[in-house]
Amino acid sequence: MNAGAVDEPGFRALTQKIAAVRGFSCANYKDGCLRRRIAVRMRARGTPDFAAYSLLLDRDPAEFDALIDTLTINVTKLYRDASVWDLVAETVVPALFALETPAVTVWSAGCSSGEELYTLASLFHAHAMRTLNEAKLKRVRIIGSDIDRASLESAKRGAYAAEAFSEMPAALKTRYFSAEAPHAAVPEIKALVDVERRDLLSDPPPAQGLQLITCRNVIIYFGRESQEPLMRKFHDALAPGGFLVLGKVETLLGPLRTLFEPVDARQRIFRRAA
Ligand SMILES: C[S@@+](CC[C@H](N)C(=O)[O-])C[C@H]1O[C@@H](n2cnc3c(N)ncnc32)[C@H](O)[C@@H]1O
């Protein structure tokens, strides 16, 4: 049987096991997306149905790891969707640097293996250098969080294969990453970054009064009923006027539009409305 096929009880039993054993609550994710992802692993292991796959998970923890990896979909890149980052560099970063607040705290929510974090760190550092404002960098803290522990280990290392840089301007890559592969983030930008495990749907934000939240290519996998409380959580965690950057294919649904004002709707950059 193909995992996309009905077998509702088998599917439910499997998702309950995933939640009970690994704390990954499938209820928040879109069913079709989950079924397709589980089917990928079932095909890879040649298991005929959910029940057989569930038994395989009991005896093979490595398969459980592979399944969680597949479910969390952690593909990412440095400077992914370059036009968004160009605009963040031109508008958001200078606006945050101009603030007189004692701290500028940024949260990359669902940072996967950290490419988004180091993209942000390189933009903040580059702006400080350009404006001869290095001292102000001390106020900047960029917190990356993700649910997936393996991704977070990579985020802590901050070293990437050449392909991860295909969208990043060469000047940033050369300045902020080692010349040899894997290209490691230099200490100046590593110092700006912290990494922690956090489930976006059940854990609180890492801080309040945040100046910028990026949550890109994450909510697209969440059901509508999970998106709304998450966006309210982001709204409440942002300082008034704080920025929110979503992924290129993500939108604010219905009533959520009143919580944020568009800075550039096409590039999915918003600000907290009062
Ligand atoms: C496609 S990646 C996005 C990475 C990066 N933001 C980007 O746009 O390139 C999606 C990430 O969301 C994380 N994720 C999924 N559900 C999550 C949850 N409930 N809490 C925290 N992170 C979650 C996954 O582990 C994965 O690393």
Side-chain angles (χ1 to χ4, degrees):
M1 183 195 300
N2 157 334
V6 185
D7 187 15
E8 195 57 27
F11 177 68
R12 293 289 151 220
L14 182 59
T15 57
Q16 277 160 15
K17 169 177 278 179
I18 296 168
V21 179
R22 294 294 176 107
F24 182 91
S25 172
C26 295
N28 299 310
Y29 296 79
K30 291 178 184 159
D31 254 22
C33 185
L34 285 172
R35 284 174 188 269
R36 277 195 301 280
R37 299 267 140 194
I38 294 171
V40 168
R41 292 308 316 159
M42 287 172 65
R43 270 198 305 277
R45 298 303 302 268
T47 37
D49 54 34
F50 292 125
Y53 186 65
S54 180
L55 289 175
L56 173 65
L57 293 180
D58 290 339
R59 53 176 200 274
D60 186 351
E63 176 55 33
F64 224 138
D65 293 342
L67 174 65
I68 297 294
D69 256 11
T70 307
L71 290 178
T72 53
I73 316 168
N74 37 29
V75 267
T76 181
K77 261 181 169 194
L78 287 125
Y79 223 82
R80 178 182 191 178
D81 301 322
S83 57
V84 179
W85 293 113
D86 288 345
L87 195 59
V88 168
E90 280 162 29
T91 60
V92 179
V93 173
L96 298 186
F97 251 78
L99 293 172
E100 292 301 332
T101 49
V104 173
T105 312
V106 176
W107 180 22
S108 166
C111 69
S112 188
S113 33
E115 289 83 337
E116 189 171 288
L117 270 182
Y118 295 104
T119 299
L120 283 161
S122 66
L123 293 181
F124 274 94
H125 196 279
H127 182 79
M129 295 297 115
R130 220 172 14 252
T131 56
L132 305 176
N133 234 337
E134 195 172 351
K136 273 197 165 179
L137 267 181
K138 291 199 180 70
R139 303 177 312 161
V140 176
R141 186 166 161 242
I142 305 170
I143 305 164
S145 71
D146 202 280
I147 197 173
D148 182 30
R149 290 183 198 283
S151 294
L152 289 173
E153 286 309 310
S154 306
K156 279 183 203 153
R157 278 195 297 279
Y160 303 102
E163 306 82 73
F165 293 87
S166 60
E167 292 195 57
M168 187 174 233
L172 285 179
K173 180 185 175 212
T174 311
R175 171 64 184 87
Y176 292 113
F177 293 86
S178 65
E180 331 71 55
H183 305 283
V186 299
E188 292 118 295
I189 64 167
K190 269 198 131 172
L192 302 178
V193 161
D194 285 320
V195 174
E196 49 190 54
R197 184 179 184 277
R198 207 167 271 280
D199 183 335
L200 271 173
L201 297 168
S202 54
D203 291 328
Q208 294 293 318
L210 297 164
Q211 302 294 358
L212 165 63
I213 297 175
T214 61
C215 186
R216 307 178 62 234
N217 308 299
V218 180
I219 63 164
I220 189 167
Y221 305 115
F222 295 162
R224 197 184 168 120
E225 32 339 301
S226 310
Q227 289 187 21
E228 186 165 333
L230 179 61
M231 289 299 147
R232 291 191 187 280
K233 197 188 296 195
F234 286 165
H235 173 270
D236 296 348
L238 281 169
F243 292 90
L244 171 70
V245 182
L246 300 178
K248 277 308 274 283
V249 294
E250 293 164 325
T251 46
L252 290 171
L253 298 167
L256 297 173
R257 295 203 192 103
T258 58
L259 299 179
F260 300 95
E261 289 161 2
V263 173
D264 187 314
R266 211 173 117 84
Q267 302 295 351
R268 305 294 194 262
I269 303 180
F270 304 88
R271 290 190 95 149
R272 177 182 151 156

